[in-house]
Amino acid sequence: MFKVLRDLLRYNREFLIGFILTASLVIYASLHFFSPYDNTAIYLLPPDMPPSPDYWLGTTSRGQDIFWQISAALWNTMTFGITVTVISRMLALTMGMISGYIGGRGDRVLMTINDTLIALPNLPILLLVYFVMREQMNWAILAVVTACLSWNYDARIIRSVALSLRQREFTRHAVYAGMSMPQVLVRQHMPYVMPIVFFTAMNNLIFAIGIEVTLAVLGFIDLNRPTIGGMINWANQHQAIVAGVWWWIAFPIIAIVLLFLGLFLLAISINEYIDPRSRLARMGG
Amino acid sequence: MLTTAEAEQRTGTVLEVKNLKAYYQMNYFGVQREVRAVDDITLSIKRNEVYGIAGESSSGKSSLIKTIAGAINPPLRVVDGSVKFDFDGNFVDVYGEPGSMNSARWRHLSYIMQGSMNVLNPVRRVKRSFEDFAFEHMGLSKAEFWPRVRQHLEKLGLNPNVLEAYPHQLSGGMRQRLTIALATVCEPEFIIADEPTTALDVLVQQDVLGLIKDVQERMGSSIIFVTHDMTVHAAIADRIGIVYAGRLVEEGPSIDIFRRPQHPYTAHLISSLPRLGDPKRRQALAGKPPNLADPPPACRFHPRCPLAIDKCKTDNPPLVARETGRVACWRAGEVEVS
Amino acid sequence: MSKLLELDQVTKTFQIGGLLDRATLQAVKGVSFDIDDAKAEIFTIVGESGSGKTTIAKMILGNEVPTTGTIRFEGRDVTTVRKRRDRLDFMKRVQPIFQNPFEAFNPLTPIDLFLFTTAKQFCGAKTRAEQESQADKALQHVGLSLAEIKGRYSHELSGGQLQRIAVARALIPEPKLIVADEPVSMVDASLRMSIVNLFQHLRDDLGVSIIYITHDLATAYYISDRVIIMHRGDVVEAGNAQEVLDNPKHEYSTALKNAVLPPDPERASAALRHRRAERQAERA
């Protein structure tokens, strides 16, 4: 594991940049545990202060320090995005691989479910869930619902690879070696599917964070808990741009763009590394 | 098209390969590898000749013909040596002047591959594939082009009406014959055939070989014919070169290669062929083909050679001329063929 | 005498085409043969592509269901073998070998994993040491040893070696029957004999019967006891391998035999010339 990391850092520029970027953002986000202020409290500081040595990234019109707000918001947004991604990748992986492997009627049933979900509009469903749940609604439930709405396309892509893997002779050999379906899927097919999982994970993460921002901007999630979307929502409500408090909008956006960039670079370089063709080339195939 | 008499008169050398070395040089995340796929090969091919190249898979025979055709991409690189063609006075130095091969392809040189029937676009009529591939290279107007194509097909014994068909309506053998017709419509002087009959059914194989021979005789072209199947070489090749681990180990007229092989590897290839009507037990060669990234020192065949002596492990035998061919072995000619 | 395998008037019909132009394809038309339990033999099915030989292999292995007729293995209809427990018992008795040795093992996992899993599933070898000894025993039969292949990946080995390892893997459960579908067609000619000789060893020394499916008459002649020649789903000729191939009676088997190129330049080029002259005459 350590050797892989060292090789990637040494020979892959994208990985190096992505790694530094993501690592610094993660460190920055985890700093909020040591924040001098309660990050849900308001009017603790003088409002609308521009960036200065006292308040590095300025303060909001609600009297909060933007540096510490972003730190907490990044943490929450990342947790949300990663939770959605992990759950939806697991769903896509299981459904896609099983569907492709069993084929025939089972495949048709699973893919009908899948295609029906694709046809459903995401945002109205989320709003519906929000109105039904109301009081019980929290970020974890939102994450689960978002995950359930975002695995379908990727399950189809994974299924197409699984279908072709099923036809390969080594799969038949594995069956005659007495391997059960889970063993064949996990040990034999997974390495071929992982690059897709990694690559779609990036899209999915962007989608999840986008959903959170959208819902926050519309005011449909708990706005007191700092998130990147929530910050933009508050800034809008206070007409930050018109009032000239540009730092309230600019810094959260820069933070989220850097996060996307870092994760994207990591995803593509890890992808290149675990891609079966590149792996075989390194092994001497 | 040449008359038969003209075709037979073509003599002289069409291809000269000198000390050709082509290596795969790779670097993946710090893992560096060099594979010597073509290691110091010298050979020449005369006009009007079918030259067979035999060898196991991963012996470097495919890399060799790709290098000859000038169709190589990194990580495969030519490290040393030259490949020179003489197409009836048109000289092409493939690695001397970059790009010189581009104009020669199709007009002078064409390539027939295993499974090349798949070049026919499955959703378009066969004639569209002919148009896509050959029209530009012929330098003819449409009015002249189609009669030429039909005439060419007729000469090869194919019904020109198949041009109107879709590929899936034709059998695999017919598709393979059509692609051979397609590859030869410009009447190239030089044809490279890479395992063109390997994926075909037994009954079709002879027809395809026959067609290749027809084309060759009619146009007086030279062919490099690559296959691991020695019986195909027996049927079609005038001379055969045996490639082992990136090197040419023996070369000679087919009849000598089959009846009086000098190199132990050649002898093994011949004597291990099963024959109808002869259930005599035949031995397989021990060991495995060498890994080209880490070949054995000196003579690369010595770990599997039944005749190996100490000298084989320390000194690489040079390829030396014999009465009728060339052989690279310290114990050349000592082997018995059963 | 009891039978190891019996095929009784087996046919297989495939539906091809979409909703609008349905057509049926008779891949196998009423094929019957059986293999004796007491005496191991190499039973060869010769045919070109589209002859139905691979469909027969799939039906014997239970991967396709015959449209009509029955296939019985040790008296039991193979279509009734459906539960996982039953499948495992069946696979312990019948093992396959496929065409492409380079595809036989997952390129991304070490080869020995397949051997160890087979030993674990079929021979109850629980510890790694037991699995290793089972694998090594099977590899010895094919002229290899575990030390040579331990931790190796498929790209590090030659086609001939991989195919022998595939045979070794199939041998671990000590099956009664091996179904080999074109096992040498992707193997270099120089390594072919190592596989073919191995089949003889399995028959003679281990008592394993082999269904050898091929289009190559020369190796069929070399190793088979009995042969059937198939053409478009029909068996056109059957019997003792050397008798059938020395004196084929049916038109198609004769054509197949004549299509085999002799391994000698003079005779082979004469055969090719003859064929071209025939074609020329047909055209004229």
Side-chain angles (χ1 to χ4, degrees):
Chain A
M1 193 63 208
F2 175 73
K3 193 184 158 291
V4 171
L5 188 66
R6 196 197 60 198
D7 277 357
L8 276 167
L9 285 174
R10 191 182 300 169
Y11 298 107
N12 195 316
R13 192 174 299 253
E14 287 91 3
F15 185 83
L16 184 69
I17 300 173
F19 184 79
I20 293 173
L21 215 52
T22 315
S24 5
L25 285 170
V26 169
I27 293 168
Y28 172 36
S30 44
L31 282 182
H32 84 275
F33 290 115
F34 311 102
S35 165
Y37 316 107
D38 175 1
N39 55 40
T40 53
I42 48 175
Y43 301 118
L44 293 169
L45 303 168
D48 294 341
M49 299 299 287
S52 69
D54 287 339
Y55 312 107
W56 290 353
L57 302 179
T59 63
T60 69
S61 309
R62 307 170 79 218
Q64 295 163 309
D65 186 318
I66 291 185
F67 179 85
W68 294 109
Q69 277 289 302
I70 291 182
S71 169
L74 264 182
W75 183 268
N76 289 334
T77 299
M78 262 196 302
T79 326
F80 176 79
I82 288 166
T83 313
V84 171
T85 309
V86 168
I87 297 175
S88 75
R89 284 322 81 187
M90 285 190 324
L91 281 169
L93 195 61
T94 353
M95 288 292 270
M97 282 177 73
I98 291 177
S99 187
Y101 183 73
I102 57 177
R105 189 169 297 158
D107 177 40
R108 276 200 295 280
V109 170
L110 287 178
M111 280 302 117
T112 310
I113 299 172
N114 187 64
D115 296 348
T116 316
L117 281 171
I118 287 182
L120 294 177
N122 291 331
L123 213 51
I125 300 258
L126 280 168
L127 297 185
L128 187 71
V129 172
Y130 174 77
F131 282 120
V132 173
M133 305 288 290
R134 279 252 126 139
E135 296 305 310
Q136 292 90 35
M137 193 65 181
N138 60 24
W139 74 270
I141 293 174
L142 186 66
V144 172
V145 178
T146 315
C148 288
L149 289 171
S150 61
W151 55 273
N152 327 74
Y153 285 101
D154 308 329
R156 261 210 175 270
I157 302 173
I158 290 170
R159 166 181 167 271
S160 66
V161 175
L163 272 178
S164 80
L165 286 170
R166 181 169 82 117
Q167 304 295 340
R168 292 183 63 172
E169 277 180 14
F170 69 74
T171 306
R172 290 197 275 164
H173 262 278
V175 169
Y176 277 89
M179 290 188 199
S180 61
M181 187 170 95
Q183 279 173 312
V184 173
L185 293 184
V186 173
R187 303 206 66 164
Q188 305 296 323
H189 290 179
M190 196 97 108
Y192 291 88
V193 178
M194 281 323 276
I196 304 177
V197 173
F198 264 87
F199 208 77
T200 53
M202 201 49 232
N203 269 334
N204 193 238
L205 191 62
I206 293 175
F207 167 81
I209 294 176
I211 282 283
E212 197 202 27
V213 172
T214 312
L215 290 178
V217 168
L218 294 171
F220 283 115
I221 55 173
D222 176 10
L223 285 175
N224 290 324
R225 187 170 168 273
T227 59
I228 297 287
M231 285 184 76
I232 296 169
N233 184 342
W234 283 118
N236 256 339
Q237 284 191 21
H238 288 261
Q239 293 171 337
I241 297 277
V242 185
V245 192
W246 55 267
W247 49 92
W248 197 359
I249 294 269
F251 291 119
I253 290 179
I254 290 172
I256 198 75
V257 167
L258 287 180
L259 179 65
F260 279 169
L261 193 64
L263 289 170
F264 177 70
L265 290 174
L266 277 188
I268 58 166
S269 51
I270 291 175
N271 224 20
E272 194 184 326
Y273 193 82
I274 64 170
D275 183 79
R277 272 198 291 178
S278 132
R279 272 177 74 173
L280 284 172
R282 267 176 284 127
M283 295 194 306
Chain B
M1 185 150 296
L2 304 167
T3 65
T4 320
E6 278 172 330
E8 276 172 9
Q9 275 166 9
R10 281 191 176 179
T11 48
T13 309
V14 64
L15 169 69
E16 280 276 1
V17 176
K18 276 218 177 83
N19 301 98
L20 187 65
K21 291 181 185 173
Y23 300 165
Y24 289 88
Q25 292 169 327
M26 287 165 285
N27 184 351
Y28 289 100
F29 296 99
V31 182
Q32 287 200 359
R33 297 176 65 235
E34 184 174 80
V35 175
R36 304 183 167 197
V38 178
D39 200 2
D40 203 2
I41 285 186
T42 300
L43 58 85
S44 65
I45 291 170
K46 292 196 280 291
R47 285 180 215 288
N48 214 348
E49 179 182 48
V50 181
Y51 187 92
I53 294 182
E56 299 168 292
S57 42
S58 77
S59 63
K61 59 188 194 311
S62 294
S63 307
L64 171 62
I65 51 168
K66 270 192 236 158
T67 317
I68 288 175
I72 59 169
N73 290 311
L76 182 60
R77 290 182 187 87
V78 168
V79 179
D80 193 17
S82 65
V83 177
K84 287 180 184 148
F85 285 99
D86 170 7
F87 300 119
D88 278 336
N90 275 322
F91 296 94
V92 176
D93 183 350
V94 180
Y95 297 98
E97 320 142 37
S100 60
M101 204 58 199
N102 295 341
S103 56
R105 253 182 231 133
W106 276 92
R107 279 192 96 77
H108 299 296
L109 180 140
S110 67
Y111 212 114
I112 307 167
M113 287 166 292
Q114 177 178 5
S116 64
M117 53 260 220
N118 300 329
V119 304
L120 299 175
N121 186 333
V123 296
R124 307 184 77 194
R125 290 180 198 276
V126 172
K127 65 175 181 187
R128 296 287 159 238
S129 295
F130 270 76
E131 203 174 279
D132 291 348
F133 286 106
F135 182 66
E136 240 177 73
H137 300 274
M138 307 265 288
L140 298 172
S141 69
K142 282 264 161 85
E144 294 167 310
F145 176 72
W146 289 115
R148 267 287 281 284
V149 170
R150 294 177 150 265
Q151 201 188 356
H152 180 70
L153 290 179
E154 267 170 21
K155 280 193 176 133
L156 299 182
L158 301 167
N159 187 342
N161 293 337
V162 294
L163 286 173
E164 299 298 328
Y166 286 96
H168 67 87
Q169 296 168 318
L170 307 167
S171 68
M174 182 53 114
R175 287 203 294 265
Q176 184 68 311
R177 274 180 276 173
L178 268 174
T179 47
I180 290 171
L182 174 57
T184 54
V185 70
C186 299
E187 295 172 20
E189 285 96 329
F190 199 87
I191 299 168
I192 293 177
D194 186 1
E195 305 262 9
T197 58
T198 303
L200 298 176
D201 273 330
V202 198
L203 288 175
V204 185
Q205 183 180 342
Q206 274 200 11
D207 285 338
V208 171
L209 286 176
L211 179 68
I212 292 175
K213 195 73 189 153
D214 277 347
V215 168
Q216 188 266 330
E217 282 182 5
R218 202 178 287 273
M219 308 193 301
S221 351
S222 312
I223 299 184
I224 283 196
F225 199 105
V226 178
T227 176
H228 68 268
D229 188 344
M230 289 305 284
T231 58
V232 171
H233 283 305
I236 199 164
D238 299 317
R239 278 196 302 152
I240 299 175
I242 311 280
V243 174
Y244 186 81
R247 289 180 181 158
L248 199 59
V249 295
E250 184 167 5
E251 179 192 65
S254 324
I255 198 93
D256 292 336
I257 292 283
F258 274 85
R259 300 225 175 129
R260 285 179 296 280
Q262 306 286 308
H263 197 283
Y265 178 63
T266 317
H268 159 75
L269 284 182
I270 306 298
S271 64
S272 70
L273 293 170
R275 285 143 222 247
L276 273 180
D278 175 11
K280 185 164 70 83
R281 198 168 163 82
R282 293 179 185 279
Q283 286 308 320
L285 195 60
K288 64 162 190 156
N291 177 359
L292 287 177
D294 181 24
C299 174
R300 291 182 176 173
F301 187 59
H302 83 254
R304 299 168 79 188
C305 181
L307 300 180
I309 48 174
D310 285 346
K311 194 176 184 188
C312 304
K313 294 169 193 160
T314 52
D315 295 309
N316 185 32
L319 191 64
V320 291
R322 310 278 297 184
E323 292 154 49
T324 54
R326 294 181 292 165
V327 64
C329 179
W330 294 120
R331 305 196 62 185
E334 292 180 39
V335 66
E336 291 282 315
V337 186
S338 50
Chain C
M1 224 185 298
S2 67
K3 300 287 182 203
L4 182 67
L5 180 77
E6 280 174 282
L7 272 78
D8 186 15
Q9 288 299 321
V10 172
T11 62
K12 178 74 192 179
T13 312
F14 288 109
Q15 299 279 337
I16 50 172
L19 291 168
L20 298 174
D21 54 345
R22 266 281 161 83
T24 55
L25 173 80
Q26 280 222 301
V28 178
K29 303 172 190 167
V31 172
S32 304
F33 64 84
D34 49 52
I35 291 174
D36 229 43
D37 204 3
K39 190 175 163 294
E41 67 171 324
I42 297 177
F43 184 90
T44 300
I45 304 176
V46 173
E48 295 187 280
S49 54
S51 65
K53 58 190 197 308
T54 298
T55 311
I56 291 189
K58 284 188 177 161
M59 289 193 289
I60 293 172
L61 291 169
N63 296 340
E64 293 275 2
V65 179
T67 314
T68 62
T70 50
I71 300 175
R72 277 187 294 276
F73 179 76
E74 295 184 325
R76 179 173 181 181
D77 187 341
V78 295
T79 53
T80 65
V81 180
R82 280 283 158 256
K83 284 199 218 86
R84 176 151 170 83
R85 194 66 255 158
D86 287 358
R87 284 294 293 166
L88 284 177
D89 285 341
F90 177 73
M91 290 193 286
K92 190 167 158 47
R93 311 286 290 158
V94 183
Q95 280 283 333
I97 294 164
F98 301 112
Q99 183 173 14
N100 187 348
F102 297 99
E103 274 279 297
F105 303 99
N106 189 340
L108 298 176
T109 44
I111 286 172
D112 49 19
L113 175 79
F114 283 78
L115 300 169
F116 296 153
T117 316
T118 310
K120 188 173 144 201
Q121 293 290 344
F122 296 113
C123 308
K126 290 207 177 54
T127 64
R128 184 41 68 92
E130 280 176 76
Q131 292 166 12
E132 284 187 2
S133 83
Q134 297 269 13
D136 192 50
K137 200 175 94 195
L139 285 165
Q140 298 288 348
H141 281 304
V142 303
L144 294 165
S145 68
L146 186 61
E148 283 174 76
I149 67 145
K150 204 172 172 187
R152 298 287 202 94
Y153 289 84
S154 63
H155 64 83
E156 297 175 278
L157 301 159
S158 73
Q161 278 177 311
L162 288 170
Q163 198 62 299
R164 279 188 287 155
I165 298 168
V167 175
R169 193 207 57 72
L171 284 179
I172 290 176
E174 296 176 356
K176 284 295 289 177
L177 180 69
I178 286 182
V179 180
D181 188 1
E182 296 267 11
V184 294
S185 68
M186 307 277 285
V187 177
D188 275 325
S190 64
L191 299 168
R192 235 169 238 186
M193 293 320 279
S194 68
I195 309 293
V196 170
N197 286 341
L198 177 60
F199 286 163
Q200 280 184 337
H201 163 68
L202 300 188
R203 176 194 60 190
D204 298 341
D205 305 332
L206 300 178
V208 181
S209 287
I210 292 159
I211 294 185
Y212 175 53
I213 296 172
T214 187
H215 64 261
D216 177 21
L217 264 70
T219 54
Y221 184 89
Y222 178 74
I223 58 161
S224 323
D225 298 305
R226 282 191 297 155
V227 62
I228 58 174
I229 295 176
M230 291 194 65
H231 181 50
R232 302 208 175 138
D234 280 316
V235 175
V236 297
E237 203 159 343
N240 176 290
Q242 286 174 4
E243 279 168 23
V244 169
L245 297 176
D246 280 334
N247 292 305
K249 302 273 187 307
H250 193 275
E251 197 184 335
Y252 178 74
S253 357
T254 319
L256 262 189
K257 189 187 169 187
N258 290 338
V260 176
L261 290 165
D264 179 79
E266 245 169 40
R267 284 191 294 139
S269 51
L272 191 60
R273 261 198 307 281
H274 180 69
R275 178 77 173 191
R276 285 165 63 201
E278 263 180 16
R279 283 280 158 190
Q280 208 99 49
E282 272 172 38
R283 286 206 292 273

